[in-house]
Structures are given as C-alpha cells and as structure tokens.
Amino acid sequence: MEGMDSAMVALMAEKRSMRLEIAGFQSQISGLDQRVSTVETQVASWTDKDQELMHLRSKLTDLEDRSRRNNICLLGFPEGIEGTDILSYLRDILPKLTDITFDPPLESERVHRLGPKRQDGKGRPRSIIACLLRHGQACQLLQAARAQGPLRLGTLEIQLSADFSKETAD
C-alpha cells in the first residue's frame, strides 16, 4: 500500500505540473492568437490601401494622358534641320509631309526636342514633341501618318505618334 501511495503522490505531482504546463501553453496560444488577429487586421488594411493606390495610379495615368492628348511625337528629324525656329519649320513641313491643308494654319503651344543636346552629334536624333493648340489638327496629322505609312523627307523616314504616358505606352 505504501508503494501505491507514493506512486499516487508522484502521479498527482506529475498531473499538477502537466496542468501548469498546459495553462502556460494556453496563455501563450492566447497571446499568439491576439498577435495573429492584429496582423490580419493590418494586412486587410494594407490590401485596402493597395487597391486605393492602384485606383489613384490609374487616375493619375488617365490625367497625364489627357494632358498630352494634343501632343505629337516626331521621330527622324536630324538635329539642327529646323534651324533656329523649330515651330516655323514644323508649321511649314508637316502639311507638306502629310498632304493636309490646315485651315486655320497649324498653331502650337510649344515645340521642343526631348533630352539634352548630344555633344558628339552622333546617334539617333532626339525626338521632337509638339503640343498643338487644336486637338483636331493633332488627330488629322496622326491619321494621315497612319494612312500614308512612313513619311518621307528626302531620304529620311519620319514617324509621327501620339505622346502617351510611360504607363500607357508600356
């Protein structure tokens, strides 16, 4: 009997230590559960923010494209061919290249070459961006360029394209 009593006492002690361990595990699990809930809430918030960010990027791209809708990108004009007045040069040459008579004549808000001037004069010529005053004239030029294919200026091949934002172009 005495052996059974000591075994029973040992079992009871082991049972108590197991209960304490289980209580500790339950406390840890409860803490981890709270942490997981916090992380899930944050992740849900990030998902909402990501969707909002994607929506805002879409709107920004749309606004940028709308602000560029009168722009035409001209490729293939050699550096310096325009002389000192690029606007007058394009006003004269574009109707000849596309066989379009503009009434009223082409008017531009601004015309410039993209990027810094190349020092060595080698490589591809810089593109020209023309912001026309009338959207209809920009559309006419682009339609004529598409219909005629590559435009020729002597031996040069000139290309006209719409000026889109990087996101739209990609």
Side-chain angles (χ1 to χ4, degrees):
M1 259 332 225
E2 214 172 274
M4 284 178 75
D5 279 344
S6 67
M8 190 65 122
V9 168
L11 283 173
M12 294 295 269
E14 191 174 330
K15 181 181 167 187
R16 259 187 248 118
S17 75
M18 288 178 129
R19 279 189 180 171
L20 289 174
E21 277 185 54
I22 289 173
F25 289 147
Q26 285 176 336
S27 173
Q28 286 178 348
I29 289 172
S30 175
L32 290 174
D33 188 40
Q34 288 175 354
R35 290 174 62 190
V36 166
S37 294
T38 303
V39 168
E40 286 174 341
T41 303
Q42 287 176 345
V43 167
S45 169
W46 293 341
T47 303
D48 292 344
K49 297 286 186 208
D50 284 345
Q51 289 175 349
E52 182 181 356
L53 181 62
M54 292 299 291
H55 176 70
L56 290 173
R57 281 186 179 162
S58 173
K59 285 178 78 171
L60 180 63
T61 299
D62 182 54
L63 286 170
E64 189 173 352
D65 286 337
R66 284 176 192 265
S67 74
R68 293 176 173 208
R69 72 180 183 171
N70 290 359
N71 289 4
I72 294 179
C73 187
L74 303 126
L75 306 166
F77 285 100
E79 296 276 339
I81 195 170
E82 68 273 4
T84 58
D85 189 7
I86 192 169
L87 178 58
S88 296
Y89 177 75
L90 290 179
R91 191 178 298 136
D92 293 339
I93 201 71
L94 286 177
K96 292 176 188 172
L97 283 174
T98 57
D99 296 327
I100 298 175
T101 304
F102 292 103
D103 186 33
L106 276 178
E107 291 182 290
S108 179
E109 205 174 300
R110 66 185 173 280
V111 179
H112 59 90
R113 288 206 183 249
L114 290 178
K117 187 171 185 172
R118 294 190 173 94
Q119 297 301 325
D120 58 5
K122 296 179 183 175
R124 284 183 29 199
R126 296 176 294 156
S127 301
I128 298 172
I129 296 290
C131 180
L132 301 181
L133 204 54
R134 294 177 186 82
H135 179 66
Q137 290 178 339
C139 290
Q140 280 182 302
L141 283 170
L142 292 172
Q143 287 172 352
R146 274 192 295 273
Q148 293 177 11
L151 304 174
R152 295 266 173 214
L153 179 64
T155 60
L156 299 173
E157 185 176 304
I158 305 297
Q159 296 175 355
L160 274 66
S161 67
D163 181 31
F164 291 112
S165 64
K166 184 180 182 321
E167 291 77 15
T168 302
D170 289 344

